[in-house]
Every structure is written in structure tokens, then in C-alpha cells.
Amino acid sequence: MNENRYRIASRTAGQPLIAADVGGTHARIASIVPVAGERGSAFAIGDYCKYACAEFPSLAAIIEAFRASHVHTPVASAALAIAGFVVDDAVVNVNLPWPVSLSELRSRLGLADLAVVNDFEAVAYAVGHVDDASALLLGGPAEHRPGPMLVVGPGTGLGGAVHIAQDGRPVILATEVGQATLAATTDFEFDVLRELRKRSPRVLIEHVLSGTGLTNLHAAIRALRGAPPLAQTPAQISAGALAGSDALAAETVEVFCGWFGSVLGDLALLYGAQGGIYLAGGVLPQMKELLVRSRFIERFLDKGAMREALARTSIRLVDHAQLGVIGAASWYFDSDHGGRRAAAAQRTGTKATTD
């Protein structure tokens, strides 16, 4: 059974919460306290820390480290935004450095309540907390239009979700856009695809449009240009392009931005994102200046007869390190107070509900 949200047991209203945003590279964790007298997703963020996943043997070890250093009152509940999706008791994601069993995690941490949501579904919840004045408007009108909002972000992989306002409450559609097949538009993009298909017959969107994808793209471009292989991180590629010291890094970022714009235009049309697009994730802030100067917007709009419709779609870059934990906490409290029906299920001997 494929589910993006997973809840074990039931929580006691008003108790503090640990919220985490777990990606393939970093885990961001915060202590969350519901605001007294408020309803819905009103809460305060206490301590906040960022951990490198590769430095810990498991997700449980990271949360234990956070609790030991920053949690001074008993906390029996946790809301985790995790890249990937849940199948029965396991989180499925090839980018995580270790397997995650929900029942084992709950047992080791001694939690009465463990809730897991797709990471970009959580980010879509956080959109309701974003001040547009703190976001960079990349294209389209500054004013908001009614309609679905699309949240997309290249990090270790590529995540995406749709935020739909309905009766004053968000309805979130989690997606796996990064797992879709990447389409090329220019002749050079077709050349890159042919180069990448030497490694894998099917090239996914996140094989190019993500942090890992940026290194894949750089390697493919170096091969196509006859340059020797050179192992570089996404940050090194972006830095070399920004400094103007590495011509192939600059070409890589330019191809990345244009290709991302084209794919984003397709996603905007597929999901009817008239309400606007928010870009998050760890890769884009590193190349923000280059993104603004690139063909990103030009390629986004290059959809023939649909150009005029896309020109009315605002695109904002959100550089907010705490979006994931804010979204996880917002989803957690909002789903608790929303009166949604929960279906009981048996998960490896543990009673669980989903909503």
C-alpha cells in the first residue's frame, strides 16, 4: 500500500512535538510547542538544528542526539517530513543513506505517536506560512491569483507538491515528479540524454534537475566536450560558474537552469498552477544570481499557445531553511484538528491510522 502520510497511535492535544525534515543529505530538526488557546496549525519553534545524515548510523541516532542536547521536557510525539513515500512500515527512497522502519523508529525513541509525511507535501503546507516579501519574485505578477500552487525543489533529489485552498484549509497533493522521465527540447539536451543513457536506459527528471543531477549533468557535458572527468560537488560547480573561473561549470549551470525552466513549465500546465509556483530546495539558492540571468524564464514560457497563460503565473524562490519542519508541524496539527476521517489498519502488530 502506497501512502504519503502515516500515523501511529494517537497524540494528546497540547503536548510538545519534535518536527523533522529528513532529506538525503541533511536532517533538520526542531522542537515545536502548540500556541496556547489557538487552533489549527498555530505553534512556536523552539530549538532548531541541522545534521549531516552521513555522519549518523540511522535516523533514530540523529533524533536521539537532538533530544539529548535540546529537549528538556518529555516529548512523546514526532512529525517527520521525509523524502520519498511510505509502503507499509518502510520509507522508500533511494537517496536516504539508511533504511527507515517506522515501527522500529517509534520503539527505539519511545514515542507514543509517530507521524510521517512526504517532504514536499510538508513544504506545500509551509507555503501558507511564507511571507512573499521574503521570497524572490523570478517571474510573473506580484499579486496572487486564485488556483492551485505548485511547490518544486531540487535538493538531493527533486521534490514537488500541489497546494490547493479549499474551504479555508489546504488540500495537498504529494507527487513524485523527480521519478518521471526527463524530456529534452534542444539538440544539445538530446545529446546529454544520449550520454546519460549510457549509464541508465531511463533518465529521470531528478537525474539532471537536482543536486546529484547537477553533478551528472556536469560529467555528461565534460564528456561531450572532450574534457577529462572531474569530480565536483554541486556547490563547487555553482561556485565555479558564479566566479566565471570554470567555463564548463558555467555551461552546466546554464543548461541546468534552462532545462529546469522547461520542465517547470510542463509541470505548471499539468497541475494547473494558476495560483503560483514556489521554488525551494538546497540547490537553487547556491545559483540564485545565475538563475536570474539564465534562460530559465524564457524556457518556462516557451510553450506555444500556452505562453500567455504561463506569463500570468508568478514564480518565487523561497530561501527558508526551516520550511520542512514548519510544514511537518503545520500538517501534523492541521490534520489533528481538521476532523478528517482516519482509517484503522494493522501494521506489523502496531495499530496505525492514515489521513
Side-chain angles (χ1 to χ4, degrees):
M1 185 175 180
N2 181 339
E3 296 162 354
N4 288 309
R5 294 174 291 181
Y6 188 101
R7 180 177 299 282
I8 298 178
S10 59
R11 69 183 294 272
T12 302
Q15 287 186 343
L17 171 77
I18 289 176
D21 174 22
V22 184
T25 305
H26 294 104
R28 298 167 174 85
I29 306 180
S31 56
I32 305 291
V33 180
V35 176
E38 296 286 349
R39 292 180 57 82
S41 57
F43 53 85
I45 296 179
D47 290 309
Y48 169 85
C49 285
K50 176 180 173 182
Y51 299 88
C53 292
E55 296 178 2
F56 292 83
S58 66
L59 177 56
I62 296 177
I63 298 175
E64 285 175 334
F66 177 80
R67 282 203 309 197
S69 300
H70 300 287
V71 179
H72 308 296
T73 58
V75 176
S77 302
L80 310 180
I82 300 184
F85 56 93
V86 172
V87 175
D88 296 325
D89 185 55
V91 175
V92 178
N93 188 307
V94 296
N95 293 319
L96 293 176
W98 9 249
V100 177
S101 163
L102 302 183
S103 59
E104 290 179 8
L105 187 63
R106 175 181 178 268
S107 176
R108 177 169 169 178
L109 297 175
L111 296 172
D113 186 18
L114 173 62
V116 175
V117 62
N118 173 270
D119 62 334
F120 259 84
E121 187 175 358
V123 171
Y125 268 91
V127 164
H129 298 268
V130 171
D131 178 7
D132 282 344
S134 65
L136 175 64
L137 183 66
L138 296 174
E143 65 274 10
H144 277 281
R145 298 175 61 209
M149 292 183 290
L150 177 64
V151 185
V152 178
T156 305
L158 181 73
V162 182
H163 180 290
I164 304 170
Q166 184 174 349
D167 299 327
R169 299 176 58 82
V171 175
I172 308 299
L173 172 64
T175 78
E176 288 293 338
V177 298
Q179 299 300 303
T181 302
L182 180 64
T185 298
T186 69
D187 289 341
F188 188 65
E189 288 171 357
F190 278 106
D191 290 340
V192 170
L193 280 183
R194 278 189 286 270
E195 182 66 28
L196 292 174
R197 289 187 75 249
K198 294 177 182 178
R199 307 184 209 174
S200 173
R202 177 171 174 251
V203 181
L204 307 181
I205 292 177
E206 69 175 29
H207 286 168
V208 169
L209 302 179
S210 66
T212 303
L214 189 63
T215 60
N216 294 337
L217 179 60
H218 187 237
I221 288 177
R222 292 187 68 85
L224 289 170
R225 299 306 188 204
L230 178 63
Q232 286 189 304
T233 66
Q236 289 171 330
I237 296 169
S238 298
L242 188 59
S245 59
D246 187 334
L248 290 179
E251 183 179 16
T252 297
V253 172
E254 178 64 29
V255 172
F256 180 99
C257 292
W259 213 335
F260 183 47
S262 182
V263 169
L264 192 66
D266 290 338
L267 296 176
L269 294 175
L270 285 169
Y271 293 112
Q274 294 97 337
I277 299 172
Y278 289 84
L279 303 180
V283 173
L284 296 181
Q286 300 174 7
M287 60 174 71
K288 179 167 61 177
E289 294 180 31
L290 299 169
L291 182 69
V292 171
R293 300 201 304 256
S294 73
R295 297 181 62 214
F296 168 74
I297 293 296
E298 178 186 341
R299 291 285 302 277
F300 173 79
L301 296 173
D302 188 19
K303 301 298 176 184
M306 299 308 298
R307 181 185 183 90
E308 184 176 347
L310 290 176
R312 300 177 185 177
T313 302
S314 62
I315 306 175
R316 289 178 169 86
L317 176 62
V318 183
D319 186 5
H320 195 320
Q322 296 183 8
L323 272 181
V325 295
I326 289 172
S330 178
W331 164 76
Y332 184 80
F333 292 124
D334 191 63
S335 60
D336 273 346
H337 292 282
R340 301 177 183 177
R341 292 189 303 172
Q346 197 70 23
R347 300 274 194 269
T348 62
T350 302
K351 187 176 181 180
T353 62
T354 61
D355 58 2

Short mmCIF file of all heavy atoms in Angstrom, two decimals, residues 254-278:
data_model
loop_
_atom_site.label_atom_id
_atom_site.label_comp_id
_atom_site.label_asym_id
_atom_site.label_seq_id
_atom_site.Cartn_x
_atom_site.Cartn_y
_atom_site.Cartn_z
N GLU A 254 24.07 26.85 -16.84
CA GLU A 254 23.18 27.45 -17.83
C GLU A 254 22.23 26.41 -18.43
O GLU A 254 21.02 26.65 -18.56
CB GLU A 254 24.00 28.10 -18.95
CG GLU A 254 23.18 28.72 -20.07
CD GLU A 254 22.32 29.90 -19.63
OE1 GLU A 254 22.71 30.59 -18.67
OE2 GLU A 254 21.26 30.14 -20.24
N VAL A 255 22.74 25.23 -18.75
CA VAL A 255 21.90 24.15 -19.27
C VAL A 255 20.90 23.71 -18.20
O VAL A 255 19.71 23.50 -18.48
CB VAL A 255 22.76 22.96 -19.75
CG1 VAL A 255 21.87 21.76 -20.11
CG2 VAL A 255 23.59 23.37 -20.95
N PHE A 256 21.38 23.58 -16.98
CA PHE A 256 20.52 23.19 -15.86
C PHE A 256 19.35 24.16 -15.72
O PHE A 256 18.18 23.74 -15.63
CB PHE A 256 21.35 23.16 -14.57
CG PHE A 256 20.58 22.78 -13.33
CD1 PHE A 256 20.64 21.48 -12.84
CD2 PHE A 256 19.82 23.71 -12.64
CE1 PHE A 256 19.95 21.12 -11.69
CE2 PHE A 256 19.12 23.36 -11.49
CZ PHE A 256 19.18 22.06 -11.02
N CYS A 257 19.63 25.45 -15.68
CA CYS A 257 18.58 26.46 -15.46
C CYS A 257 17.56 26.46 -16.61
O CYS A 257 16.35 26.56 -16.37
CB CYS A 257 19.21 27.84 -15.31
SG CYS A 257 20.17 28.06 -13.79
N GLY A 258 18.05 26.38 -17.84
CA GLY A 258 17.13 26.36 -18.97
C GLY A 258 16.27 25.13 -18.98
O GLY A 258 15.05 25.20 -19.20
N TRP A 259 16.87 23.98 -18.73
CA TRP A 259 16.14 22.71 -18.71
C TRP A 259 15.12 22.72 -17.57
O TRP A 259 13.99 22.27 -17.73
CB TRP A 259 17.12 21.56 -18.54
CG TRP A 259 16.72 20.30 -19.24
CD1 TRP A 259 15.46 19.91 -19.60
CD2 TRP A 259 17.60 19.25 -19.69
NE1 TRP A 259 15.49 18.69 -20.22
CE2 TRP A 259 16.79 18.27 -20.29
CE3 TRP A 259 18.96 19.06 -19.61
CZ2 TRP A 259 17.32 17.09 -20.83
CZ3 TRP A 259 19.50 17.90 -20.15
CH2 TRP A 259 18.69 16.92 -20.75
N PHE A 260 15.52 23.25 -16.42
CA PHE A 260 14.61 23.34 -15.29
C PHE A 260 13.41 24.22 -15.62
O PHE A 260 12.26 23.89 -15.30
CB PHE A 260 15.36 23.88 -14.07
CG PHE A 260 14.53 23.93 -12.81
CD1 PHE A 260 13.75 22.85 -12.41
CD2 PHE A 260 14.54 25.06 -12.01
CE1 PHE A 260 13.00 22.89 -11.24
CE2 PHE A 260 13.80 25.11 -10.84
CZ PHE A 260 13.02 24.03 -10.45
N GLY A 261 13.64 25.33 -16.30
CA GLY A 261 12.54 26.19 -16.71
C GLY A 261 11.56 25.48 -17.62
O GLY A 261 10.34 25.61 -17.49
N SER A 262 12.09 24.70 -18.57
CA SER A 262 11.23 23.97 -19.49
C SER A 262 10.38 22.93 -18.76
O SER A 262 9.17 22.82 -18.99
CB SER A 262 12.09 23.29 -20.56
OG SER A 262 11.29 22.60 -21.50
N VAL A 263 11.02 22.16 -17.87
CA VAL A 263 10.29 21.15 -17.11
C VAL A 263 9.27 21.80 -16.19
O VAL A 263 8.14 21.32 -16.04
CB VAL A 263 11.27 20.27 -16.31
CG1 VAL A 263 10.54 19.37 -15.32
CG2 VAL A 263 12.10 19.40 -17.26
N LEU A 264 9.64 22.91 -15.57
CA LEU A 264 8.72 23.60 -14.67
C LEU A 264 7.49 24.11 -15.42
O LEU A 264 6.37 24.05 -14.91
CB LEU A 264 9.43 24.76 -13.98
CG LEU A 264 8.69 25.38 -12.80
CD1 LEU A 264 8.57 24.39 -11.65
CD2 LEU A 264 9.38 26.65 -12.33
N GLY A 265 7.68 24.57 -16.65
CA GLY A 265 6.54 24.99 -17.46
C GLY A 265 5.60 23.83 -17.74
O GLY A 265 4.37 23.98 -17.68
N ASP A 266 6.16 22.66 -18.02
CA ASP A 266 5.34 21.46 -18.21
C ASP A 266 4.55 21.14 -16.95
O ASP A 266 3.35 20.82 -17.00
CB ASP A 266 6.21 20.26 -18.58
CG ASP A 266 6.80 20.37 -19.98
OD1 ASP A 266 6.24 21.13 -20.81
OD2 ASP A 266 7.82 19.70 -20.24
N LEU A 267 5.22 21.21 -15.79
CA LEU A 267 4.54 20.89 -14.52
C LEU A 267 3.44 21.90 -14.22
O LEU A 267 2.37 21.53 -13.72
CB LEU A 267 5.55 20.86 -13.38
CG LEU A 267 6.62 19.77 -13.45
CD1 LEU A 267 7.62 19.92 -12.31
CD2 LEU A 267 6.00 18.39 -13.43
N ALA A 268 3.69 23.17 -14.52
CA ALA A 268 2.67 24.20 -14.30
C ALA A 268 1.43 23.93 -15.12
O ALA A 268 0.29 24.11 -14.66
CB ALA A 268 3.24 25.58 -14.62
N LEU A 269 1.62 23.47 -16.36
CA LEU A 269 0.48 23.14 -17.21
C LEU A 269 -0.22 21.87 -16.74
O LEU A 269 -1.45 21.79 -16.73
CB LEU A 269 0.95 22.98 -18.66
CG LEU A 269 1.50 24.24 -19.35
CD1 LEU A 269 2.03 23.90 -20.72
CD2 LEU A 269 0.43 25.32 -19.44
N LEU A 270 0.56 20.87 -16.34
CA LEU A 270 -0.02 19.60 -15.89
C LEU A 270 -0.88 19.78 -14.65
O LEU A 270 -1.95 19.17 -14.52
CB LEU A 270 1.09 18.59 -15.60
CG LEU A 270 1.76 17.96 -16.82
CD1 LEU A 270 3.01 17.21 -16.40
CD2 LEU A 270 0.80 17.01 -17.53
N TYR A 271 -0.42 20.62 -13.71
CA TYR A 271 -1.13 20.76 -12.43
C TYR A 271 -1.98 22.03 -12.35
O TYR A 271 -2.57 22.30 -11.31
CB TYR A 271 -0.12 20.74 -11.28
CG TYR A 271 0.55 19.41 -11.11
CD1 TYR A 271 1.91 19.24 -11.37
CD2 TYR A 271 -0.17 18.29 -10.70
CE1 TYR A 271 2.53 18.01 -11.23
CE2 TYR A 271 0.44 17.05 -10.55
CZ TYR A 271 1.78 16.93 -10.82
OH TYR A 271 2.38 15.70 -10.68
N GLY A 272 -2.05 22.79 -13.44
CA GLY A 272 -2.90 23.98 -13.45
C GLY A 272 -2.53 24.97 -12.37
O GLY A 272 -3.40 25.45 -11.63
N ALA A 273 -1.25 25.31 -12.28
CA ALA A 273 -0.74 26.12 -11.17
C ALA A 273 -1.00 27.61 -11.35
O ALA A 273 -0.07 28.42 -11.35
CB ALA A 273 0.75 25.86 -10.98
N GLN A 274 -2.29 27.98 -11.49
CA GLN A 274 -2.61 29.40 -11.66
C GLN A 274 -2.30 30.23 -10.42
O GLN A 274 -2.10 31.43 -10.49
CB GLN A 274 -4.11 29.57 -12.00
CG GLN A 274 -4.52 28.99 -13.33
CD GLN A 274 -5.12 27.59 -13.16
OE1 GLN A 274 -4.85 26.91 -12.17
NE2 GLN A 274 -5.92 27.17 -14.13
N GLY A 275 -2.26 29.57 -9.24
CA GLY A 275 -2.01 30.30 -8.00
C GLY A 275 -0.56 30.64 -7.77
O GLY A 275 -0.24 31.35 -6.81
N GLY A 276 0.33 30.16 -8.62
CA GLY A 276 1.74 30.49 -8.49
C GLY A 276 2.60 29.29 -8.21
O GLY A 276 2.12 28.20 -7.89
N ILE A 277 3.91 29.50 -8.32
CA ILE A 277 4.90 28.45 -8.12
C ILE A 277 5.92 28.92 -7.09
O ILE A 277 6.41 30.06 -7.16
CB ILE A 277 5.62 28.10 -9.43
CG1 ILE A 277 4.61 27.59 -10.48
CG2 ILE A 277 6.71 27.07 -9.21
CD1 ILE A 277 5.20 27.42 -11.86
N TYR A 278 6.23 28.06 -6.14
CA TYR A 278 7.28 28.33 -5.16
C TYR A 278 8.41 27.33 -5.38
O TYR A 278 8.17 26.13 -5.44
CB TYR A 278 6.74 28.20 -3.73
CG TYR A 278 5.81 29.33 -3.33
CD1 TYR A 278 4.46 29.29 -3.66
CD2 TYR A 278 6.29 30.43 -2.64
CE1 TYR A 278 3.61 30.32 -3.30
CE2 TYR A 278 5.45 31.48 -2.27
CZ TYR A 278 4.11 31.40 -2.60
OH TYR A 278 3.27 32.43 -2.25
#
